[in-house]
Amino acid sequence: MPENKSQSFLHGAAILAAGVVIMKILGAIYKIPLGNLLGDEGYAMFLAAYNVYNVFLTITTAGLPVALSRMVSEARTLGRENQVQRIFTAALKILFVAGLVCTVFMMIAHEWIADAMENIEAADSILALAPCVVIVCVLSAYRGYIQGHGNMKPTTISQVIEVLVKVIVGLILCWLSVRSGRRLSLSSAGAIFGVTAGGLVALIYIWRSKRKNYPLPATPADDVPDPTRVIVKKFLMIAIPITLGSSVLSLINFIDSYQIMKRLQLAAGFDYYNAKILYGIYGKAQTLYNLPASIITPLTVSVVPAIAAAVTRKNTRETMEITEASMRISSVIALPMAVGLAVLSDPIMNVIYPNSSESGPMLLALLGVAAYFVCMALIMTAIMQAHGDVRYPVYSMALGGLVKIAVNYFLVGMPSVNIIGAPVGTIACYIVMCAADFIFMRRCMEEKPSLRKILARPVLSTAVMGAAAWAVYGLSSKLLGGGELSWLTMAICMVLAVCVAVVVYLVMIIATRAITMDDMKLIPKGEKLGRLLHIK
């Protein structure tokens, strides 16, 4: 019998989120010293290679695992176990072939790709990442199959293993390379090879987990699966629009790398070296800005099979309850993190990345604003995909992507704005995307979600929290330092502000009932925690 026991969508999301917290701690251990080892210039090479990798990875894995999870959940709801096995076999073959093609292309064309991005030093890093595409494609097939069963534990464990190996291998190789005086491009390649090593070890774990926990079940003779061609056709009809939509954003990020470097040099007047420095600090700010989205992603993964199963049962009420709960909880989680990044951007950047460009705090403050809209776009996209409306997210992503390119083109090219224009473009992109997503989502649902129910209480709680964080940091800075703060004093003031903000936010979400006892019952040990916090 599989190890999961009917995990609710929030229960599964909580398991994934716990893994994300561990991964983010490990990721900080990886990226913060990595950014300081490589410097702004070396980190620009690392980031350029990672953006190339993300384009190919998105093309191969953005839609296919989602389609697999949804189809497995639907087949299981109908009791068709043979159908489940055939769906997995077809998906695994498709993902392997797609990943292999992309891996081979990256290996052959790594120098051409780096040159096209105006960052030829990134070629070694692109080559080091190439094998990871096919590895992660196969890995995502196994994760999608298990998630379709409503079980998030193997995915979480495999993700933690993946990051742990990445940290150990990547940092050791980077440190050895820097210490031996090798060129910066090889140090970046060594660091990024940890991603490939982590993916391989995680694949071995998830393969063993599936064999152990999901053996082929005994099924009745009348459980006849659909022909493979029918399954593949349905699979691709679901996956291709999702892939196209997600590829738009990855392609935008790829173009972003190229466009920012070009506009900084040709229009804003920076030379190649200083353009790389600015792009490197932008990449460091992006690492922190991605934190809220990474916490929300487990919820999007978990909500797809849950809504798909409710839709299959034609249970409109259950579908609506899951939809509103997931959006409200996303706001409760994402808003305070986004506001915290914006309000405390100066100490965060200067404590984590000392001696970096002075543009860092402003970049992070603007990206903090964008982070909330990113999270809401992610959850609304997942909701529509679970409903089977895979075309609408493509439209909103394409529209947001065009806005980002246009804003970047004009603002980054202005000497007085330069790199600051990039996060402004990100804000504009995701605001447009969220507005379009919400309009489309209301159109495709029988019962319409209410913005007031979703946003009112989280916004009030976060506003009070943000004011408290700003006041505590400002006051403690004056009391402890007065003028120019040392690194240690700034760190103490920042930690104090964060601790007060957390307490204030917990008090506010309990007082405003932004989180209810019904929500707490859906997460592991949530009822006990709810009673401890006096949540009603």
Side-chain angles (χ1 to χ4, degrees):
M1 182 178 178
E3 62 184 347
N4 69 305
K5 296 181 180 179
S6 188
Q7 295 168 5
S8 72
F9 86 96
L10 278 182
H11 187 105
I15 292 171
L16 287 172
V20 167
V21 171
I22 296 171
M23 287 188 292
K24 283 301 166 182
I25 293 172
L26 293 173
I29 296 171
Y30 176 59
K31 288 190 175 180
I32 292 172
L34 185 65
N36 292 318
L37 274 172
L38 295 175
D40 292 344
E41 183 185 4
Y43 202 76
M45 301 173 197
F46 178 92
L47 185 64
Y50 215 89
N51 283 339
V52 173
Y53 164 71
N54 275 334
V55 170
F56 289 104
L57 193 65
T58 301
I59 290 171
T60 51
T61 65
L64 297 173
V66 174
L68 173 59
S69 175
R70 178 177 148 190
M71 289 176 67
V72 167
S73 179
E74 291 172 351
R76 288 186 66 248
T77 301
L78 298 172
R80 302 185 64 189
E81 288 298 333
N82 284 339
Q83 177 84 345
V84 169
Q85 300 307 317
R86 186 163 290 184
I87 289 169
F88 172 69
T89 301
L92 181 60
K93 290 177 181 177
I94 293 170
L95 279 160
F96 174 73
V97 172
L100 185 61
V101 169
C102 290
T103 287
V104 171
F105 179 76
M106 283 180 68
M107 295 180 75
I108 293 173
H110 63 285
E111 290 185 351
W112 175 82
I113 295 170
D115 188 48
M117 292 183 67
E118 296 287 317
N119 199 339
I120 189 62
E121 291 96 337
D124 292 330
S125 297
I126 294 171
L127 182 61
L129 262 180
C132 196
V133 180
V134 67
I135 291 170
V136 174
C137 282
V138 176
L139 176 62
S140 66
Y142 283 93
R143 285 174 174 167
Y145 172 84
I146 294 173
Q147 287 163 194
H149 285 74
N151 186 7
M152 306 300 161
K153 288 182 183 177
T155 292
T156 300
I157 295 171
S158 70
Q159 288 172 335
V160 172
I161 291 171
E162 185 178 359
V163 177
L164 182 61
V165 174
K166 176 181 75 174
V167 170
I168 295 171
V169 174
L171 280 181
I172 289 175
L173 290 178
C174 182
W175 180 76
L176 289 174
S177 180
V178 170
R179 188 184 182 192
S180 62
R182 295 179 182 273
R183 65 180 190 271
L184 205 52
S185 61
L186 285 179
S187 300
S188 173
I192 215 162
F193 181 75
V195 179
T196 299
L200 181 60
V201 177
L203 174 59
I204 294 170
Y205 166 78
I206 203 83
W207 172 77
R208 287 173 60 88
S209 179
K210 179 188 177 297
R211 288 196 57 172
K212 177 183 177 182
N213 296 298
Y214 296 95
L216 292 178
T219 54
D222 59 352
D223 179 16
V224 180
D226 296 338
T228 300
R229 59 181 176 79
V230 174
I231 290 174
V232 170
K233 181 180 178 181
K234 182 179 179 182
F235 187 68
L236 294 178
M237 285 179 66
I238 297 171
I240 288 175
I242 298 173
T243 301
L244 288 174
S246 299
S247 297
V248 167
L249 290 183
S250 290
L251 185 60
I252 294 304
N253 288 333
F254 178 77
I255 295 172
D256 207 26
S257 304
Y258 171 80
Q259 187 185 36
I260 289 173
M261 290 292 291
K262 274 286 188 184
R263 296 300 291 167
L264 286 173
Q265 293 174 79
L266 299 181
F270 292 89
D271 59 28
Y272 176 64
Y273 173 78
N274 284 304
K276 280 200 301 181
I277 294 294
L278 288 174
Y279 186 64
I281 190 63
Y282 177 56
K284 290 178 178 178
Q286 281 184 311
T287 299
L288 298 167
Y289 136 86
N290 286 329
L291 176 61
S294 66
I295 300 294
I296 294 301
T297 298
L299 189 59
T300 69
V301 171
S302 190
V303 82
V304 170
I307 291 180
V311 170
T312 301
R313 290 191 292 267
K314 302 186 185 303
N315 191 330
T316 305
R317 181 179 179 184
E318 181 186 0
T319 302
M320 189 62 208
E321 286 176 351
I322 296 173
T323 298
E324 280 200 341
S326 61
M327 292 184 67
R328 176 169 46 80
I329 292 167
S330 295
S331 291
V332 168
I333 296 170
L335 267 173
M337 289 193 290
V339 169
L341 289 175
V343 170
L344 299 176
S345 61
D346 185 66
I348 290 172
M349 285 299 293
N350 285 305
V351 168
I352 294 177
Y353 295 115
N355 304 318
S356 286
S357 169
E358 61 184 14
S359 302
M362 178 59 74
L363 290 170
L364 182 60
L366 292 169
L367 286 172
V369 175
Y372 173 70
F373 295 101
V374 173
C375 292
M376 296 312 293
L378 286 172
I379 194 66
M380 285 190 282
T381 294
I383 290 167
M384 285 188 282
Q385 289 169 351
H387 276 83
D389 298 286
V390 293
R391 292 175 297 119
Y392 289 140
V394 177
Y395 302 152
S396 61
M397 288 178 186
L399 184 60
L402 291 174
V403 168
K404 179 166 176 57
I405 289 176
V407 173
N408 274 11
Y409 182 85
F410 288 107
L411 292 185
V412 175
M414 295 173 61
S416 59
V417 179
N418 58 77
I419 194 65
I420 302 300
V424 174
T426 302
I427 293 172
C429 166
Y430 282 100
I431 287 177
V432 168
M433 196 181 302
C434 279
D437 274 342
F438 191 72
I439 292 169
F440 290 143
M441 191 173 66
R442 285 178 62 87
R443 178 178 295 181
C444 72
M445 294 181 64
E446 292 183 26
E447 292 189 32
K448 315 300 181 187
S450 167
L451 270 182
R452 182 184 61 80
K453 291 181 180 179
I454 293 167
L455 291 179
R457 292 169 180 174
V459 167
L460 175 60
S461 302
T462 302
V464 176
M465 180 219 74
W470 175 80
V472 169
Y473 180 75
L475 181 61
S476 59
S477 297
K478 289 181 180 179
L479 292 176
L480 296 178
E484 195 74 22
L485 298 180
S486 67
W487 181 89
L488 180 60
T489 303
M490 187 177 290
I492 292 171
C493 295
M494 181 187 73
V495 170
L496 182 61
V498 169
C499 291
V500 171
V502 169
V503 173
V504 169
Y505 189 67
L506 283 174
V507 171
M508 286 302 299
I509 61 172
I510 293 170
T512 61
R513 297 199 67 204
I515 290 289
T516 67
M517 182 57 84
D518 287 339
D519 297 327
M520 299 301 294
K521 289 177 181 178
L522 295 173
I523 64 175
K525 310 295 183 182
E527 193 169 359
K528 290 183 179 179
L529 181 60
R531 286 198 297 267
L532 181 66
L533 296 174
H534 302 288
I535 295 175
K536 298 179 180 179

